[in-house]
Amino acid sequence: MNAFGGFILRLLGNLIEMPVVFVEQVINGDPIAAILIAFGSLFVLGAVGGFGYVVAGALGVPLPNLGRGPSDPVE
């Protein structure tokens, strides 16, 4: 087998093995680590969601207005 094929097989094997190692060794090892991972995931999801909203708006997808726009009069 060539080097690229071996690399792909090893990569797929590691992707299957990764969640088990992550749960058993990282999350179960320390309760603070689980809390930090949860909050880090929320921050990343918020950033990805905000970026996705901006990209969808730039592509012309009709989206709800998240704030007061120029059509709303200021009193």
Side-chain angles (χ1 to χ4, degrees), residues 21-49:
V21 171
F22 189 73
V23 169
E24 289 178 354
Q25 295 180 6
V26 177
I27 293 178
N28 287 338
D30 185 16
I32 300 296
I35 293 170
L36 290 174
I37 290 169
F39 279 107
S41 298
L42 288 175
F43 287 134
V44 169
L45 279 173
V48 169

Side-chain angles (χ1 to χ4, degrees), residues 2 9 13 16 18 27 29-34 38 44-46 52 55 57 63 71:
N2 61 12
L9 287 176
I16 293 169
M18 176 79 94
I27 293 178
D30 185 16
I32 300 296
V44 169
L45 279 173
V55 168
L63 298 169
S71 62

